[in-house]
Amino acid sequence: AVCSMGNSTSRLYSVLAKTLSSGAVSQHQDCLEQLDSAHLDPIDPKDLLEECQIVLQKRPPRFQRNFVNLKKNTASNHRPIRVMQWNILAQALGEGKDNFVQCPMEALKWEERKCLILEEILAYKPDILCLQEVDHYFDTFEPLLSRLGYQCTFFPKPWSPCLDVEHNNGPDGCAIFFLKERFELIDSANIRLTAMKLKTNQVAIAQTLKCHETGRLFCIAVTHLKARTGWERFRSAQGCDLLQNLKNITQGAKIPLIVCGDFNAEPTEEVYREFSNSSLNLNSAYKLLSPDGQSEPPYTTWKIRPSGECRHTLDYIWYSQHALNVNSALGLLTEEQIGPNRLPSFNYPSDHLSLVCDFSFNQDPDRLL
């Protein structure tokens, strides 16, 4: 049965309010066992959203963003598949390493920031959610999202920078969540990316899902490539490795593919060109928001660090353009909404914007290959 809410002492509120105090996840196995999601009641998303809004009542309201309809006159006889891509900002990095000089520490408090993250997810109701910089997987995202009907997978970085921060909550990594009522997991691969044949600290998850409604298979992948200027060749090598893995998993593009990620690369970088020119026939969904359908957004991340203002396009949703249509995409925040102090802020929990697209299957994908 769905857990009824009642007042703020409800069982749901106690789960929402519960955050592991400190230390790596491995130190809290007894607590994690108590949170085994298989033994917890489902949550009504409206009730969870209400609880988040109670916690956030002293903060400014959520920014309004609108979906842009991109669908051409192609008939689709199935519900679209909504995919959300988001680097949510690891809590340990936000508080300890990222030096957002214009963001008050008060705005980064986890008890409220996690509610801002959940509010964003609940507002857009993705069928598939791909996240990077997840360092509160076991105590927040897995127990709550599994109770919302998602199947959850997490793959941490081998040497997460979060572990260097005092009072951290364990390593950050990538995570995929998909609604079990819509999809069945056929296969799952955790990929540790290589560069020049060396294993790196960056990872990816690739899952082959079967859509219950259509019976169609497709692959969803999430990744987070190496950050910082000077690492362009390294990112390029990681991208080549990921593409090779995805070619094997999709049998050379026979299975449609969606790749979400923070690539830490502008469209001018080699790794972007590798994905654009791959034999997997990928296109970047957010290009379709531009007037000519050929230009990426002006930014997907905007922050101020001691070195200055950083405004970049680094986040992408790639898709098999022969097999999938992009029906709509969520518009980005305007400069006016973001404000002079940039991100994160009391209004928005991450330094990266969430990307959300609605996809439908092409009726005759092989004809377009």
Side-chain angles (χ1 to χ4, degrees), residues 15 18-20 25 32 35 110 114 135-144 169:
V15 172
K18 188 173 183 59
T19 302
L20 301 181
V25 166
L32 295 182
L35 285 176
W110 178 241
K114 72 178 175 186
D135 65 344
H136 274 275
Y137 176 81
F138 291 102
D139 69 309
T140 299
F141 295 105
E142 194 277 338
L144 285 173
N169 193 61

Side-chain angles (χ1 to χ4, degrees), residues 50-67:
E50 195 177 289
E51 291 289 356
C52 287
Q53 288 166 345
I54 291 169
V55 175
L56 297 170
Q57 56 192 334
K58 293 182 180 176
R59 292 211 180 201
R62 271 188 74 253
F63 292 125
Q64 287 305 304
R65 298 166 65 186
N66 297 317
F67 280 90

Side-chain angles (χ1 to χ4, degrees), residues 272 276 282-288 293 296 315-319:
Y272 182 94
S276 293
L282 299 173
N283 193 21
S284 174
Y286 264 71
K287 280 168 48 177
L288 302 179
E296 291 289 354
D315 307 272
Y316 306 96
I317 301 178
W318 298 91
Y319 69 101

Side-chain angles (χ1 to χ4, degrees), residues 37-75:
S37 55
H39 300 104
L40 295 172
D41 290 335
I43 299 171
D44 186 324
K46 290 178 184 172
D47 292 337
L48 180 57
L49 182 58
E50 195 177 289
E51 291 289 356
C52 287
Q53 288 166 345
I54 291 169
V55 175
L56 297 170
Q57 56 192 334
K58 293 182 180 176
R59 292 211 180 201
R62 271 188 74 253
F63 292 125
Q64 287 305 304
R65 298 166 65 186
N66 297 317
F67 280 90
V68 178
N69 186 13
L70 301 167
K71 192 171 182 181
K72 303 187 177 91
N73 296 321
T74 51

